[in-house]
Amino acid sequence: TIHQKNLFIHYPDLYFDLNHYGIFFSSLIAAFAIMPDWLGISLWNLANTFLFVYAIYKLPFSDSKKALFGLFCLQEYITAALSLQFNVALTGLLLLSAVYIYERKEVKSATAILVGVFVKIYGIVGLSQFFFIQNKKKFILSGIAIAVLFFVLPMAYSSPQFVVQSYADWYHSIIEKNNENQVLGNMQDISLMGFFRRILGDASISNLVFLAVGLPLFALPYIRMKQYKNYAFQLMILASTLLFLVLFSSSSESPTYIIAVVGVMIWFFLQKERTPLNIGLLVFVIIFTCFSTSDLFPKWVKHDYIIKYSLKAVPCIVVWLRVVYELLTKNFETDYSLK
């Protein structure tokens, strides 16, 4: 960014992958980047972890539930952290955006959402909590001010022209990445869409086909306006959002599942009763999502089945459908526990 070079093309002498984070990310990573690698990497992961753990701490569960919540997320956290993924922090930001809305801290919520948006676009799903905001005017006005600040900030060490051009380059890189992701058997598109594309053996099936069904299902619970006041309902919407984000993205890869698994944990720990079905679904997720890419499974199983058919997504697909069902049928004032 300082040298005003295109952020979204290959630099094989520096790294083997392509960058897909927005230019605002340069301001977040700068302090870690100037350190020696061993120290910058360690502190980067520590900062992400702190945000993630703090977000779990802010959830309205008992300390014992929070401890189990974190423990059940551990394998997916390790997968994301070993890849130095921003998804760990992004998950924390999405949790905080919802918690701050309930606490009526609109400025903090808007900030959490916009950090996610300006780094990785995904943060936009934090707006799924918009209907629960008490002071919408404050949220919108503060959001506009923060967005302007985040947009202008990189100009301080580059130039206005370069920042504007970078957003155009970012847009094109995301479009290209989506097209590249829709390939049978690669390490991307580990999603509901990828599962069906690979089972059917047809990579050309458009995302729009799946979104035409998924989006109405996701949006349908919002008709239950009388449930809006219940924090459990708001958190279940958050669980649905975190799962939907991963299941309906062709960019989903194994380290992305820290987001979806946190959605599963919110659903599970909201349950007032631990029924055999709920426990069975949790075990299904832990074994076949969290540990599916670990050494728990032989290499040939991972390669010939789990990766080939995006099977890591399947337990989360089942849980998301369960979440949608509960959002449409349950009384969140009496049927769920926040303790």
Side-chain angles (χ1 to χ4, degrees), residues 39-255:
L39 181 59
I41 285 172
S42 301
L43 292 180
W44 166 250
N45 266 342
L46 189 63
N48 282 278
T49 304
F50 173 81
L51 190 58
F52 179 64
V53 172
Y54 178 70
I56 294 175
Y57 164 77
K58 291 286 287 181
L59 290 172
F61 299 131
S62 66
D63 287 346
S64 59
K65 281 187 177 181
K66 291 174 186 175
L68 286 173
F69 191 114
L71 181 63
F72 291 157
C73 291
L74 181 60
Q75 178 62 24
E76 283 303 334
Y77 162 79
I78 291 171
T79 301
L82 287 177
S83 300
L84 309 181
Q85 287 276 354
F86 178 72
N87 287 323
V88 175
L90 178 62
T91 307
L93 290 168
L94 291 172
L95 289 176
L96 288 173
S97 69
V99 170
Y100 286 141
I101 283 175
Y102 182 77
E103 294 180 353
R104 300 190 179 184
K105 298 176 180 177
E106 291 84 2
V107 177
K108 288 186 176 181
S109 178
T111 302
I113 291 171
L114 287 168
V115 170
V117 170
F118 275 80
V119 172
K120 205 177 177 180
I121 298 294
Y122 281 2
I124 194 70
V125 301
L127 293 177
S128 64
Q129 300 282 307
F130 180 79
F131 295 105
F132 312 136
I133 299 172
Q134 297 294 318
N135 191 340
K136 291 181 174 61
K137 181 179 179 180
K138 182 179 179 181
F139 178 87
I140 293 170
L141 291 177
S142 62
I144 292 172
I146 294 164
V148 171
L149 174 63
F150 287 177
F151 181 75
V152 171
L153 182 60
M155 297 180 185
Y157 47 88
S158 59
S159 72
Q161 295 80 6
F162 179 71
V163 169
V164 172
Q165 182 60 49
S166 291
Y167 279 103
D169 295 337
W170 191 22
Y171 170 78
H172 292 298
S173 77
I174 291 173
I175 298 298
E176 291 173 5
K177 186 172 187 287
N178 178 67
N179 294 332
E180 292 170 0
N181 289 340
Q182 290 182 218
V183 176
L184 301 181
N186 67 357
M187 296 298 291
Q188 304 285 327
D189 205 13
I190 304 176
S191 62
L192 179 148
M193 304 184 298
F195 170 70
F196 281 102
R197 277 193 277 255
R198 294 175 184 191
I199 289 292
L200 297 173
D202 187 357
S204 67
I205 303 174
S206 172
N207 292 344
L208 295 178
V209 173
F210 301 100
L211 291 171
V213 178
L215 274 174
L217 269 179
F218 174 77
L220 198 55
Y222 285 99
I223 64 174
R224 304 188 69 198
M225 297 178 67
K226 291 183 179 179
Q227 297 290 333
Y228 283 13
K229 66 181 183 296
N230 299 315
Y231 196 10
F233 181 79
Q234 297 179 24
L235 288 174
M236 195 67 86
I237 288 286
L238 176 62
S240 177
T241 302
L242 296 174
L243 285 158
F244 182 88
L245 171 61
V246 176
L247 294 175
F248 288 86
S249 170
S250 63
S251 295
S252 293
E253 54 186 348
S254 188

Side-chain angles (χ1 to χ4, degrees), residues 267-268 273-286:
W267 162 78
F268 182 78
E273 298 181 4
R274 303 286 182 263
T275 66
L277 174 62
N278 294 339
I279 294 172
L281 286 176
L282 178 66
V283 173
F284 187 34
V285 169
I286 290 175

